[in-house]
Amino acid sequence: MKSEKRNTLTITLFVVYLLLLIGIVLFKLPFYSPVISDGIRVINLIPFQGSFDENGTLILREIIQNTLLFIPLGIYICMLKSKWPFMKKVLPIVGLTLSFEMIQFIFAMGITDITDVLDNTLGGVIGIGIYTLLFKIFKNRTVKVVNILALVVTVCVVVRFAQLFYLSHFVMRRLRP
């Protein structure tokens, strides 16, 4: 019975994570964006081409954010499909990130960028590595420990997400002339 409750919690947290991920990646939430699509489709197939500023300096912020955003995906895949071999765990990560990039291209929602695919995949692989390391430490208690940590982090992220959403949609809107 305990493992059934644990699995339900894992799935619930995973669904919340996916919804937040969709909101952040596709709709640029929680920040106010009055126009989701500018009607222009841009595709960049050269890795890291769009990651430099006008002075030729590499902008690491977006690369790091894209990588960090997908670490939980690798962890959740390991929690839900622990018996899968490494490559089978990587495939849904690549599939999801390619899906996001295709949706962005089809609906002209931002720039479709190979760098995002690489960063997101790296994040997922790092997540798989983190889970593997945690499993070596906690053994059969790993899912329980990660669920507790994920629950705390999810609550904090959802509260912060809601706060930023509220500020950008209601408070900042009132301040605009």
Side-chain angles (χ1 to χ4, degrees):
M1 189 64 151
K2 281 185 179 181
S3 66
E4 201 173 294
K5 284 183 180 180
R6 197 174 310 144
N7 196 36
T8 302
L9 178 59
T10 303
I11 292 168
T12 302
L13 291 169
F14 181 56
V15 168
V16 171
Y17 164 74
L18 284 177
L19 291 172
L20 288 170
L21 192 63
I22 289 166
I24 292 166
V25 173
L26 294 181
F27 300 106
K28 313 305 181 214
L29 296 175
F31 306 103
Y32 179 72
S33 179
V35 179
I36 292 174
S37 172
D38 59 8
I40 299 172
R41 287 180 179 80
V42 177
I43 188 165
N44 175 31
L45 297 176
I46 301 170
F48 304 103
Q49 179 185 22
S51 300
F52 293 90
D53 65 13
E54 60 276 350
N55 298 322
T57 305
L58 182 66
I59 305 168
L60 286 175
R61 188 182 79 243
E62 186 177 355
I63 293 168
I64 292 169
Q65 288 172 344
N66 281 335
T67 302
L68 290 175
L69 202 55
F70 277 75
I71 289 174
L73 182 59
I75 293 171
Y76 281 120
I77 288 170
C78 289
M79 290 171 70
L80 295 168
K81 298 296 182 180
S82 61
K83 302 290 185 215
W84 281 5
F86 176 76
M87 284 309 295
K88 195 169 181 180
K89 291 175 184 172
V90 172
L91 287 176
I93 297 165
V94 174
L96 183 62
T97 193
L98 284 173
S99 297
F100 281 158
E101 295 303 312
M102 286 189 288
I103 290 168
Q104 286 180 338
F105 182 77
I106 291 167
F107 295 103
M109 302 166 73
I111 297 172
T112 302
D113 195 340
I114 191 68
T115 304
D116 292 346
V117 174
L118 296 172
D119 297 340
N120 298 348
T121 302
L122 175 63
V125 170
I126 290 170
I128 292 170
I130 289 171
Y131 185 85
T132 302
L133 181 65
L134 290 172
F135 190 80
K136 288 180 190 252
I137 296 167
F138 296 108
K139 309 267 186 266
N140 291 334
R141 298 179 324 219
T142 307
V143 172
K144 181 179 180 179
V145 169
V146 174
N147 267 341
I148 292 168
L149 180 62
L151 181 59
V152 170
V153 171
T154 299
V155 168
C156 291
V157 168
V158 167
V159 167
R160 180 68 174 147
F161 193 95
Q163 178 191 27
L164 291 172
F165 186 82
Y166 172 78
L167 288 172
S168 66
H169 280 71
F170 300 105
V171 175
M172 296 306 292
R173 187 179 277 179
R174 281 188 232 135
L175 296 176
R176 291 188 188 122

